Amino acid sequence: MEGIGAQKLTADHLGRQAYLYVRQSTCRQVNENQESTRWQYALRERAVALGWPNDRIVVIDSDLGQSATSAVDRPGFQQLVSDVGLGRVGIVLGLEVSRLARSSSDWARLLEICALTDTLLLDEDGLYDPGNFNDRLLLGLKGTMSEAEIHLLQARMRGGLLNKARRGELRIGLPVGLVYAPDGHVVLDPDQGVQQAIRCLFATFRRTGSALGTVRVFRSQGLRFPSRIASGPCKGEVRWNPLTDTQARSTLRNPRYAGAFAFGRVHRHRTPNGYRRRAVPREEWTALIPAAHPGYITWSEYEENLRCLKANRTTTSDEQRPTPPREGVALLQGMVVCGRCGKRMSVRYASRKATSPGQYVCSQEHRNHGTPICHGIPGTPVDAAVGALVVEAFAPLALEVALGVQQDLDARAAEVDCLRRQQLDRLHYSAELAQRRYMSVDPTNRLVAAQLETEGNEALSALRTAEEEYTIQRQADQLTITNEQRAEVLALATDFPRLWEDPHTKPRDRKRLLRLLVEDVTLLRGTEITVHVRFKGGALRTLTLPLPQMVWERHRTPQAVIEAIDQLLSEHTEPQAAEILNARGLRSGHQHLFTASMVHRITQKYGLLRR
């Protein structure tokens, strides 16, 4: 082999530089497998034996600790390929193919450039000329085996990881609020403030039914939510920041808070722009083990939260699904089903005014295929009839609901006050810690003492501000609950219809109350309007309403006025007839006073002749 290799080596190769490429896959291998690193550096002696002086040998070891599965994060390999392409390299030395590349594409690219620039390759087995067919074939085979080797290693490691995950024994990162005990079991975070904040989030979501509504409650109450730092020098520490919508949704969707071990919820795949993550359906998860460790909610509560989040989505292809309550006075928004085609009906408002009446329109086929609109039904009479039915059905439950709301108000106030006091306690601790650090420093070390004094003053300032905010919010909460909400709760028990009709009651609140009792409403328009109300549990009530009058019918001149004008014109002029009609209290179809011109138009329209 040495003789054959010497025949491949020429003076042109010796006139260029020799590049020695040294690499280990991980930092752990660099620290622990030092013999392999020394073995790679020893290839310098092979280059010297072939005729290269020491000052013409370039060692590239900037990729130590980097994987060879890709050339993207390997600046040393990129420099090697670049210099080979520029014709500066006479030979490339590497312990084996796997040191240079674990990817067939990277390896083939390097071989092609070496063949074009007449660059030799040397490994532990011998010297190769990529421009020679036999050497090229052998190098290609070695590259394929190297890539297959990394695939097998990864498959074995992945298989062991998946088996451990299916048993629920895989130790993976935990969300804030859960920690690993010394024995390896998952337990609730011992910080009571963290526990209280997470429980408050779930309780607030149950009350509001919306992730964004939960964020708004936290914001209005001045509450903060914990998050654990994932990387950096402060990794593992808990930081308290305002709750965000993304954080709230992530917490509500995480099954670990329900005490379940889950693995494979997200799939990570490579794209031309890097790696992307996508959510995986539950039936495709690698492992899901309920009741694997303590949680903050039950599994049934977790699934109910997911159903609620899905119901709140407005960007969905499921046209049959009820939409969440939104702005607008239409009481049945998102709950109306067409009695003809079974499609979900939408709401159309006459104007953008808050009090503009709505009309329920079945227009899905019109939007999708351009067919005529199925039919439309005015919403005002339907809303009034269904609202009266809800008040009738809700009245027996008013007292029970009132008592439940009263207890919920008291519990909510106590929970929020507890969270605020815990935030205040954390600031007290930070201020005391800063003071102790300042008092323990050597006074002669002025630079350190000045910095600690500044930190202590900032901690004291934050504490004073938090104490003032806590006092103001506590007084406001007590005043609101005592004077306003308690009165409304008592009124709910005695006069629920008044609260339903109260103009201060928001349309969205009425819609949420309606959804507690009603599943959906089916409308059918014929000679009259038929309303089928399906309650929760399957009970059905049918209402029949007359068709509302058209605009011209509502403003048509009353028949009594026509007859009176016919009689008056036999003895009076048109101006006199107008005065007599006004004196009798009669009005036009638009409820206006009569004038001579109005009497004349009515005479011409209805063919009334003066006698």
Side-chain angles (χ1 to χ4, degrees):
M1 177 64 72
E2 292 296 335
I4 298 176
Q7 296 176 4
K8 299 175 183 177
L9 186 64
T10 65
D12 179 63
H13 295 134
L14 294 174
R16 290 178 279 174
Q17 293 177 323
Y19 273 47
L20 172 60
Y21 184 79
V22 179
R23 186 192 64 81
Q24 289 282 71
S25 298
T26 63
C27 294
R28 182 177 179 180
Q29 290 181 357
V30 174
N31 295 328
E32 298 181 0
N33 300 344
Q34 297 182 6
E35 185 62 32
S36 175
T37 306
R38 285 193 293 267
W39 195 0
Q40 295 182 61
Y41 280 117
L43 287 176
R44 173 191 289 269
E45 300 175 1
R46 296 285 298 277
V48 173
L50 290 175
W52 271 274
N54 281 323
D55 58 348
R56 300 285 292 171
I57 301 175
V58 178
V59 178
I60 298 179
D61 54 5
S62 57
D63 291 344
L64 284 171
Q66 296 290 337
S67 173
T69 54
S70 174
V72 176
D73 298 325
R74 290 197 291 158
F77 183 78
Q78 294 175 7
Q79 177 191 349
L80 171 65
V81 175
S82 176
D83 291 348
V84 170
L86 294 174
R88 300 173 181 174
V89 184
I91 188 172
V92 177
L93 299 94
L95 183 62
E96 55 186 13
V97 172
S98 62
R99 299 301 94 196
L100 289 165
R102 288 282 192 180
S103 170
S104 293
S105 60
D106 295 336
W107 179 241
R109 189 177 301 110
L110 177 60
L111 292 182
E112 187 66 29
I113 296 175
C114 288
L116 292 175
T117 59
D118 191 21
T119 302
L120 302 178
L121 287 172
L122 183 142
D123 62 8
E124 189 183 17
D125 296 327
L127 184 65
Y128 307 94
D129 180 8
N132 181 275
F133 173 77
N134 292 328
D135 288 356
R136 182 70 171 268
L137 181 63
L138 182 56
L139 290 172
L141 181 60
K142 283 192 171 186
T144 302
M145 294 175 62
S146 177
E147 187 175 38
E149 180 185 12
I150 191 64
H151 172 75
L152 294 175
L153 292 175
Q154 291 176 348
R156 292 171 186 170
M157 296 176 63
R158 181 69 177 174
L161 183 144
L162 294 180
N163 287 333
K164 200 169 184 179
R166 293 187 183 99
R167 298 194 305 267
E169 300 175 359
L170 182 63
R171 184 165 180 148
I172 56 180
L174 295 174
V176 64
L178 297 171
V179 296
Y180 284 105
D183 59 359
H185 291 85
V186 178
V187 297
L188 302 184
D189 195 309
D191 189 336
Q192 293 296 321
V194 174
Q195 291 189 25
Q196 190 71 14
I198 295 175
R199 289 194 172 96
C200 182
L201 184 146
F202 286 109
T204 305
F205 179 77
R206 284 195 297 269
R207 185 171 65 252
T208 61
S210 166
L212 185 58
T214 302
V215 174
R216 289 171 177 168
V217 170
F218 268 67
R219 179 80 61 176
S220 63
Q221 299 290 348
L223 302 178
R224 294 180 176 269
F225 195 78
S227 60
R228 182 175 287 113
I229 300 177
S231 60
C234 299
K235 180 179 179 180
E237 294 185 6
V238 175
R239 291 288 185 267
W240 293 83
N241 300 299
L243 180 66
T244 63
D245 182 64
T246 302
Q247 194 174 19
R249 293 178 184 274
S250 175
T251 303
L252 293 168
R253 291 194 177 105
N254 198 325
R256 301 305 298 257
Y257 289 107
F261 175 86
F263 185 80
R265 297 171 55 225
V266 177
H267 176 67
R268 184 170 176 263
H269 60 284
R270 183 182 296 178
T271 66
N273 298 324
Y275 284 95
R276 295 189 60 183
R277 297 161 61 91
R278 67 172 181 86
V280 177
R282 184 188 298 182
E283 56 272 11
E284 299 179 12
W285 291 0
T286 303
L288 177 60
I289 305 176
H293 55 78
Y296 288 87
I297 57 175
T298 63
W299 184 254
S300 60
E301 290 175 333
Y302 167 74
E303 292 187 323
E304 180 60 31
N305 291 341
L306 293 184
R307 284 192 291 268
C308 186
L309 288 173
K310 183 178 180 181
N312 290 343
R313 293 173 55 190
T314 57
T315 56
T316 177
S317 59
D318 186 5
E319 297 179 341
Q320 301 301 321
R321 181 184 58 81
T323 59
R326 302 180 64 84
E327 298 78 7
V329 298
L331 180 64
L332 306 180
Q333 168 258 321
M335 301 183 64
V336 184
V337 178
C338 177
R340 293 181 180 175
C341 63
K343 300 287 187 179
R344 186 72 56 178
M345 301 179 71
S346 59
V347 181
R348 181 179 296 175
Y349 292 99
S351 66
R352 293 182 177 271
K353 296 181 179 179
T355 58
S356 176
Q359 182 183 26
Y360 300 110
V361 180
C362 180
S363 58
Q364 288 190 21
E365 290 297 324
H366 172 73
R367 292 195 306 266
N368 296 334
H369 306 291
T371 59
I373 292 178
C374 190
H375 70 295
I377 299 176
T380 302
V382 176
D383 290 349
V386 175
L389 185 62
V390 169
V391 170
E392 177 186 351
F394 201 86
L397 304 175
L399 183 58
E400 180 181 352
V401 172
L403 295 177
V405 171
Q406 180 67 59
Q407 295 175 358
D408 183 67
L409 290 176
D410 295 337
R412 190 191 317 173
E415 184 178 28
V416 171
D417 184 69
C418 180
L419 284 175
R420 290 173 180 160
R421 283 190 284 104
Q422 289 174 351
Q423 293 181 6
L424 207 59
D425 292 340
R426 282 192 294 272
L427 292 176
H428 269 294
Y429 173 76
S430 299
E432 292 176 357
L433 179 62
Q435 184 179 9
R436 289 197 302 269
R437 293 176 62 189
Y438 174 70
M439 296 300 294
S440 61
V441 72
D442 186 357
T444 59
N445 193 350
R446 297 180 180 179
L447 295 178
V448 177
Q451 178 63 28
L452 294 178
E453 183 180 9
T454 301
E455 294 178 357
N457 291 335
E458 292 176 353
L460 289 174
S461 177
L463 177 60
R464 285 195 294 268
T465 302
E467 288 176 341
E468 293 175 359
E469 293 179 353
Y470 173 75
T471 302
I472 295 173
Q473 291 173 343
R474 183 178 176 83
Q475 293 175 352
D477 288 348
Q478 290 177 347
L479 180 63
T480 303
I481 293 176
T482 301
N483 298 335
E484 298 179 5
Q485 293 181 341
R486 293 184 188 275
E488 293 180 0
V489 170
L490 294 177
L492 176 64
T494 57
D495 194 5
F496 175 75
R498 182 182 63 82
L499 286 179
W500 179 268
E501 300 295 341
D502 192 337
H504 297 291
T505 302
K506 297 180 180 180
R508 179 177 290 183
D509 293 335
R510 291 193 184 93
K511 296 174 186 179
R512 292 180 61 188
L513 284 173
L514 178 69
R515 281 165 166 75
L516 296 177
L517 297 177
V518 177
E519 185 70 31
D520 55 40
V521 178
T522 303
L523 299 182
L524 180 62
R525 178 170 182 167
T527 56
E528 54 190 7
I529 300 175
T530 304
V531 183
H532 299 288
V533 182
R534 185 161 63 100
F535 288 90
K536 300 285 187 180
L540 183 66
R541 288 285 298 274
T542 301
L543 304 176
T544 302
L545 306 177
L547 288 174
Q549 293 181 327
M550 304 295 291
V551 176
W552 65 270
E553 293 177 333
R554 293 198 300 268
H555 299 299
R556 183 171 55 183
T557 303
Q559 184 64 28
V561 173
I562 299 174
E563 295 175 356
I565 292 176
D566 189 25
Q567 295 176 359
L568 291 174
L569 290 181
S570 61
E571 299 178 359
H572 301 84
T573 63
E574 291 177 349
Q576 292 173 343
E579 294 179 0
I580 295 173
L581 291 173
N582 294 332
R584 293 180 181 179
L586 298 177
R587 297 292 183 267
S588 68
H590 291 276
Q591 301 301 311
H592 296 159
L593 295 174
F594 285 98
T595 62
S597 60
M598 292 173 62
V599 173
H600 179 73
R601 286 198 300 271
I602 294 174
T603 302
Q604 295 296 324
K605 181 177 181 179
Y606 292 97
L608 304 180
L609 301 177
R610 297 186 61 181
R611 297 178 178 84

